[in-house]
Amino acid sequence: MKVDVLLGLQWGDEGKGKVVDVLTPRYDVVARFQGGPNAGHTLEFEGQKYVLRSIPSGIFQGDKVNIIGNGVVLDPLLFKGEAVALEASGHPLKERLHISKKAHLIMPTHRVLDAAYEAAKGDAKVGTTGKGIGPTYTDKVSRNGLRVGDILCNFEQKYAAAKARHEQILKSMNFEYDITELEKEWLDAINYLREFHLVDSEHEINGLLREGKSVLCEGAQGTLLDVDFGSYPFVTSSNTICAGACTGLGIGPNKIGNVYGIMKAYCTRVGSGPFPTELFDETGKTIRDLGHEYGAVTGRERRCGWIDLVALKYAIMVNGVTHLIMMKSDVLDGFDTIKACVAYNVNGEEVDYFPYDITEGVEPIYVELPGWKTDMTKMTSEDEFPEEFNAYVTFLEEQLETPIKIISVGPDRAQTIERYTEE
Ligand code: GDP
Ligand code: IMO
Ligand code: MG
C-alpha cells in the first residue's frame, strides 16, 4: 500500500486537522511527521470543538493507529495536558497512540531559550509560538538532544547534562528565568509518557505497509514556513514539505502516493515575516472577522490577505502536490469581487515565480473575479455550487495546474464537499 501525505501550502492554519479527521476513515494509520506543539489543529463535529497540538487528528475516528513520528518534537507536559483532556472527554488514547522513541523532547529550558533568542533579536524577532521548537531542533541537529527513548534508561543523568548546557547559554545571555514549578510538572509528565507505547515507528509503519495497510501522514505548519523553502528566517525549524514525511517517519520516497495540498480560499499568516498579499484595510479586517482568524493555540490575530498563486505554484512544485483541497471558501461568500495574485512586480519587473527574497519591493499583481454572493455553508454537493464559484475554482485549477478535490464550506466535519475528479 501507499502512503498519502496531507500538508499545508501556505503559512499554516489552512485547516489540516479538519481534513485529516474527514479522511481518516479511509486509512488504517495516521501519523504526524514533524513540528510539535507549535501546531494547533482544530476539529469540529457533533457540536464539539477540539484543538490538537501533538496528537494526530486521526484520534477521533474509531480504532485507527495514530503515530507520533521521529521527526516530531514532543513536550511531555503539553502532551500530558492534551492527552488527559482527551481521555476525560471519552476518547481513550493509550492503546491507539504510538510514540517514536526517536522523537526529540522539548525541555523546560528549550522554552526559555526560545524566549531568550526572540528577545535578543528585538524587532527582527520571528514571532515564534514560544514552545521551544527552534532550540529543540537545534539540539537535535547539533547532536545534543534528548529523545523519547532516553526516558527508558538513566534519564536523570542525561536530563541534568542537557539542562546544565542550556543554563550556561542562558547565563551568557544574562537572561533571567525561573522554571522551578514548570520543571516539577515536566518531570511528572515524563512518568506519564512512560505509560504509552514507545515504539520504533519506522519499523512499525513499514511493517504495516507490508501487511497492506494504508497510512495518512499529517503535516504541521505550512510550506511557506519550511526551514529550507519558506520565507527564511521567518520560518519554523523543520521540513514541513512532503519530503519531511520520509525523514520524519522513515518511509522511502517510492512509497508516497497522493500528496494533498491544503490552502485557504485566501491567505493568512501569524507571526512576523513577509506576506506579499497582506491586506491592511477593511477587507483584511472583514476576512479576519468572518474567518475567525485568531491563533488556535496562542489566540494571536492572524494577518489576512488575498490568495497568492505565485506562492502556491511554488508550494505545489516543492511538494509534488497531486490534489488540492480548498478550505474556508464560505468566508468569501458575501464578497462582490475576489482577487487572486497571479504575478509579482519586483522592483518594476513582472515576475511569475517565487523569488529568493520577498521581504521588500514585492507588489502583488491581481486578477479580479466576480464573487458568488451565496451562502454555501449548508451545501452538500458540488451540483449546488453557484456559477461564479465554479468559475473561481476552474480559474484556480487552470492557474495551479492541479485538480481541487475537496472544498470545505464550514468548520464542521460535515461541511466538506468532495468533487468528482478522475483518478
Ligand atoms: P490547521 O492548523 O491547519 O489544522 O488549521 P487551524 O485549526 O489552526 O485553523 C483553521 C480554522 O478554520 C479552525 O478554526 C477551523 O475550525 C476553521 N475551519 C476549517 N475549515 C473551515 C471552513 O471551511 N470554513 C470555516 N469558516 N472555517 C473552517
Ligand atoms: P499549524 O500546524 C501557523 C509560525 C509562528 C512563527 C514561526 C516560527 O497549526 O498550521 P515556531 O514556534 O515554530 O518556532 O514559530 O512559525 N508557526 C505557525 N503558524 N500555524 C502553525 O501551525 C504554526 N507553527 C508555527 O507563528 O511565525
Ligand atoms: Mg493551526
Side-chain angles (χ1 to χ4, degrees):
M1 282 299 266
K2 287 269 184 186
V3 178
D4 292 342
V5 182
L6 183 148
L7 43 78
L9 298 181
Q10 295 162 325
W11 276 287
D13 301 327
E14 296 89 350
K16 299 173 290 292
K18 173 187 161 162
V19 183
V20 169
D21 172 61
V22 168
L23 295 181
T24 296
R26 303 174 195 185
Y27 295 88
D28 300 298
V29 181
V30 177
R32 277 275 307 265
F33 57 89
Q34 46 69 234
N38 47 350
H41 295 182
T42 316
L43 290 78
E44 286 190 39
F45 55 92
E46 292 158 13
Q48 298 287 322
K49 180 170 164 171
Y50 301 90
V51 179
L52 299 173
R53 300 165 78 171
S54 301
I55 295 172
S57 302
I59 206 74
F60 297 105
Q61 298 270 24
D63 286 332
K64 309 291 178 174
V65 176
N66 282 262
I67 295 177
I68 296 180
N70 57 280
V72 171
V73 288
L74 191 73
D75 183 325
L77 184 54
L78 294 177
F79 169 75
K80 182 180 172 187
E82 197 177 327
V84 168
L86 279 184
E87 299 236 61
S89 64
H91 299 284
L93 298 176
K94 293 225 169 94
E95 287 311 310
R96 291 189 275 142
L97 183 63
H98 300 179
I99 303 171
S100 169
K101 286 191 275 191
K102 295 191 173 79
H104 277 246
L105 290 171
I106 303 178
M107 297 166 56
T109 37
H110 282 132
R111 276 202 226 177
V112 182
L113 283 167
D114 197 351
Y117 292 140
E118 282 285 86
K121 284 191 170 210
D123 285 348
K125 71 175 184 190
V126 175
T128 72
T129 58
K131 299 292 179 284
I133 306 296
T136 306
Y137 278 115
T138 301
D139 274 355
K140 171 178 175 172
V141 175
S142 65
R143 297 156 296 184
N144 286 307
L146 283 184
R147 303 192 290 179
V148 168
D150 286 323
I151 71 175
L152 302 174
C153 178
N154 284 338
F155 181 66
E156 284 69 21
Q157 255 171 293
K158 295 175 198 164
Y159 174 75
K163 182 181 156 191
R165 222 172 28 78
H166 295 163
E167 282 172 337
Q168 244 180 8
I169 302 171
L170 289 161
K171 198 170 159 206
S172 73
M173 295 176 79
N174 288 323
F175 194 79
E176 304 224 342
Y177 62 97
D178 178 5
I179 52 163
T180 325
E181 273 313 300
L182 179 65
E183 187 179 40
K184 261 192 231 147
E185 290 175 23
W186 189 89
L187 289 168
D188 239 25
I190 289 285
N191 287 327
Y192 179 75
L193 192 56
R194 289 194 178 105
E195 295 171 22
F196 281 78
H197 287 289
L198 308 180
V199 298
D200 293 308
S201 60
E202 64 279 29
H203 286 302
E204 187 180 0
I205 291 184
N206 283 289
L208 286 164
L209 286 173
R210 272 196 300 276
E211 287 170 26
K213 303 276 197 262
S214 55
V215 180
L216 178 63
C217 303
E218 174 179 3
Q221 290 79 56
T223 303
L224 304 178
L225 288 170
D226 181 274
V227 67
D228 281 278
F229 299 104
S231 47
Y232 194 88
F234 301 100
V235 293
T236 192
S237 300
S238 64
N239 280 118
T240 62
I241 59 163
C242 183
C246 295
T247 56
L249 290 168
I251 293 169
N254 57 337
K255 300 278 188 332
I256 304 291
N258 290 333
V259 181
Y260 297 114
I262 304 211
M263 62 194 194
K264 286 179 184 169
Y266 48 94
C267 193
T268 63
R269 167 161 212 172
V270 57
S272 331
F275 178 2
T277 61
E278 181 167 13
L279 291 167
F280 300 94
D281 58 5
E282 276 305 302
T283 308
K285 203 171 159 303
T286 307
I287 294 177
R288 182 176 311 119
D289 291 345
L290 293 174
H292 305 291
E293 293 295 356
Y294 298 91
V297 173
T298 56
R300 286 185 293 176
E301 241 179 37
R302 293 181 186 145
R303 300 153 62 191
C304 297
W306 294 117
I307 198 164
D308 183 342
L309 303 180
V310 181
L312 278 171
K313 278 184 203 167
Y314 179 73
I316 289 167
M317 177 182 80
V318 297
N319 286 300
V321 171
T322 58
H323 299 84
L324 290 166
I325 297 177
M326 185 164 79
M327 312 299 291
K328 303 191 92 159
S329 51
D330 53 294
V331 173
L332 304 181
D333 276 356
F335 283 65
D336 291 325
T337 52
I338 286 151
K339 289 189 188 177
C341 166
V342 290
Y344 296 148
N345 180 335
V346 182
N347 301 318
E349 192 191 333
E350 188 170 322
V351 159
D352 66 355
Y353 60 87
F354 199 63
Y356 172 76
D357 187 1
I358 56 162
T359 19
E360 266 173 49
V362 175
E363 287 294 324
I365 299 172
Y366 289 114
V367 162
E368 212 166 293
L369 295 113
W372 43 95
K373 309 271 284 174
T374 312
D375 177 0
M376 290 182 57
T377 54
K378 295 192 180 57
M379 292 186 181
T380 54
S381 142
E382 69 169 312
D383 299 334
E384 299 169 69
F385 289 169
E387 198 183 309
E388 295 84 354
F389 182 73
N390 279 329
Y392 183 57
V393 170
T394 306
F395 170 77
L396 295 179
E397 287 186 322
E398 279 170 8
Q399 287 280 321
L400 300 171
E401 298 177 336
T402 315
I404 302 182
K405 191 176 166 61
I406 295 175
I407 285 172
S408 172
V409 293
D412 195 274
R413 193 189 262 173
Q415 292 171 297
T416 314
I417 299 172
E418 197 147 353
R419 295 180 70 229
Y420 317 115
T421 47
E422 286 171 26
E423 287 300 320

